[in-house]
C-alpha cells in the first residue's frame, strides 16, 4: 500500500486565474470523492472571491481525467451510487455551472467517462493535440453521468451524442475540434501558454461575461418568452455594473475601457 500526502488537487491563483490541477497522475487523475469535492470547493471559492475571474481545470501527468476511480470501492458492488452521485458529482457540476465566471478545461490528455463530463461542464475546452475523449461509461456497463448526457447532445447534436455514448469509441483532438467538442487544439508543448493566454483574455472581460454564461446556459432549455425575460433581467444587472459605465465612458472618450468584473 502506498500512502501519499500530496493533495489530490493542486490549487494555485495567479493574476486572477484559479488553476485546479487534478493530481493523481498514476491513475490518469481518476476521480475520488476528495477530488470531486476539491473541484466543488475551488469553484465555490472562485464564486466568493472577487480577485478570481477565471477557473482553469487541468490534469497532472499524461492524462486529463480517467473518470471515476474504478478501484475506489465500486468493485465491491456495495456502493450507494445514487447517494454518491448526489453527494459528490452533482454538487461539482452545479458548482461549475452556477459559477458566474468562466471555467476552462485545459485538456492535456485522455478525458474518459466522468473525466469527459468534467471537460464538458466547463465553458471552454482547450485541448492538446494528444488529448482524447471517451464516453467510457458504456465500456463498463454504465450510462453517461456527471452531466455528459446533458452537455454532449447540446454540443454535438443528439445523433452524434448517441453514437459516442453508445459505442464508447475514442475521439481524437482533431475529430473533437471538427465536432465542436473543443474550442481550440494546440500542440502539446503549447497547451500551458495557450490556456494562460486564453484565461488572461477572460480576466479582462466585464461583469456581463458571467451573465452571458448564465444566459447561454439556459437558452436551449427555455422558450422564447422565458429567454426574453432572462435577457431583460440580465441586461438590467449588466447596465447597473461599474463595467457598463466604464464601457460607455470608453466609447465616448475613445479609450479602451478597463473592466474590473464589478
Ligand atoms: O461512482 C459512481 O457514482 C459511478 C460513476 C461513474 C462515472 C465514470 O466515470 S464511469 C467511467 C470510469 N472510467 C473508465 O471506465 C475509464 C477507465 N480507464 C481506461 O479505460 C483507460 O485507462 C484509458 C482509456 C482512460 C487510458 O488508457 P491507457 O492505455 O492510456 O492507460 P492505462 O494503462 O489503462 O492506465 C494507466 C493507469 O491508470 C493504469 O494503472 P496501472 O495498471 O499502471 O497500475 C490504470 O489501471 C489506471 N487507471 C486508468 N483509469 C482508471 C485507472 N485506475 C482507476 N480508475 C480509473 N478510472
Amino acid at each position: 500500500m502506498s500512502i501519499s500526502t500530496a493533495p489530490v488537487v493542486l490549487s494555485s491563483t495567479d493574476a486572477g486565474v484559479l488553476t485546479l490541477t487534478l493530481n493523481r497522475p498514476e491513475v490518469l487523475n481518476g476521480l475520488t470523492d476528495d477530488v470531486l469535492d476539491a473541484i466543488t470547493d475551488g469553484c465555490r471559492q472562485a464564486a466568493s472571491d472577487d480577485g478570481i475571474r477565471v477557473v482553469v481545470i487541468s490534469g497532472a501527468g499524461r492524462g486529463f481525467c480517467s473518470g471515476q476511480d474504478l478501484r475506489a470501492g465500486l468493485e465491491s458492488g456495495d456502493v450507494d451510487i445514487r447517494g454518491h452521485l448526489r453527494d459528490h458529482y452533482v454538487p461539482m457540476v452545479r458548482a461549475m455551472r452556477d459559477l458566474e465566471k468562466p471555467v476552462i478545461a485545459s485538456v492535456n490528455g485522455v478525458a474518459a467517462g466522468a473525466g469527459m463530463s468534467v471537460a464538458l461542464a466547463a465553458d471552454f475546452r482547450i485541448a492538446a493535440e494528444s488529448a482524447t475523449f471517451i464516453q467510457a461509461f458504456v465500456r463498463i456497463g454504465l450510462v453517461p453521468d456527471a452531466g455528459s448526457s446533458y452537455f454532449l447532445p447540446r454540443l454535438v447534436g443528439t445523433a452524434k451524442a448517441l453514437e459516442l455514448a453508445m459505442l464508447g469509441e475514442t475521439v481524437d483532438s482533431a475529430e473533437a475540434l471538427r465536432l465542436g467538442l473543443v474550442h481550440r487544439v494546440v500542440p502539446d508543448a503549447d497547451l500551458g501558454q495557450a490556456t494562460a493566454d486564453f484565461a488572461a483574455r477572460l480576466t479582462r472581460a466585464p461583469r456581463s461575461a458571467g451573465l452571458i454564461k448564465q444566459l447561454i446556459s439556459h437558452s436551449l432549455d427555455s422558450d422564447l418568452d422565458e429567454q426574453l425575460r432572462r435577457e431583460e433581467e440580465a441586461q438590467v444587472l449588466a447596465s447597473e455594473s461599474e463595467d457598463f459605465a466604464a464601457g460607455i465612458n470608453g466609447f465616448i472618450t475613445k479609450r479602451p475601457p478597463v473592466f474590473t468584473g464589478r
Side-chain angles (χ1 to χ4, degrees):
M1 190 172 89
S2 70
I3 298 172
S4 167
T5 53
V8 291
V9 175
L10 303 170
S11 173
S12 64
T13 308
D14 184 31
V17 180
L18 170 66
T19 300
L20 302 172
T21 306
L22 313 191
N23 189 35
R24 306 185 68 231
E26 67 285 359
V27 288
L28 307 178
N29 303 312
L31 295 165
T32 57
D33 296 355
D34 286 353
V35 176
L36 293 162
D37 296 348
I39 299 172
T40 306
D41 291 347
C43 290
R44 288 179 181 162
Q45 180 200 341
S48 61
D49 184 342
D50 284 349
I52 298 174
R53 308 285 300 278
V54 179
V55 175
V56 171
I57 300 176
S58 196
R62 73 177 175 91
F64 174 72
C65 177
S66 60
Q68 170 64 34
D69 186 318
L70 298 177
R71 293 199 186 86
L74 281 185
E75 70 279 16
S76 73
D78 190 26
V79 176
D80 172 14
I81 292 282
R82 191 188 305 279
H84 191 227
L85 290 172
R86 286 185 180 170
D87 292 346
H88 300 283
Y89 277 101
V90 172
M92 177 197 66
V93 175
R94 281 259 63 108
M96 290 174 71
R97 297 311 310 153
D98 291 346
L99 179 63
E100 280 193 9
K101 298 176 183 181
V103 178
I104 302 171
S106 182
V107 186
N108 53 298
V110 64
M116 182 165 170
S117 305
V118 172
L120 298 184
D123 301 296
F124 297 98
R125 283 158 292 284
I126 304 179
E129 266 169 3
S130 66
T132 53
F133 297 83
I134 312 173
Q135 284 285 296
F137 310 93
V138 72
R139 292 185 179 185
I140 56 166
L142 290 182
V143 302
D145 66 10
S148 260
S149 69
Y150 180 89
F151 298 115
L152 196 58
R154 283 168 170 75
L155 287 168
V156 302
T158 51
K160 195 68 196 178
L162 187 76
E163 180 189 330
L164 295 179
M166 226 179 243
L167 299 186
E169 286 174 350
T170 301
V171 176
D172 66 21
S173 61
E175 175 72 349
L177 186 63
R178 200 187 63 76
L179 289 173
L181 264 182
V182 300
H183 296 79
R184 306 268 192 283
V185 174
V186 298
D188 289 12
D190 297 346
L191 182 66
Q193 193 57 52
T195 303
D197 292 346
F198 199 88
R201 190 166 159 190
L202 290 170
T203 62
R204 298 190 287 273
R207 161 80 181 102
S208 62
L211 299 167
I212 292 169
K213 167 172 173 170
Q214 297 306 338
L215 272 180
I216 300 296
S217 285
H218 287 115
S219 173
L220 295 183
D221 301 321
S222 307
D223 63 23
L224 176 61
D225 289 333
E226 189 183 342
Q227 197 64 13
L228 288 170
R229 272 194 298 278
R230 285 187 186 278
E231 288 180 355
E232 188 181 304
E233 292 308 317
Q235 200 67 295
V236 169
L237 288 174
S239 68
E240 291 169 352
S241 69
E242 291 175 21
D243 283 339
F244 175 57
I248 288 284
N249 186 53
F251 177 78
I252 289 168
T253 60
K254 298 187 188 295
R255 288 198 199 99
V258 177
F259 295 128
T260 61
R262 288 191 291 273

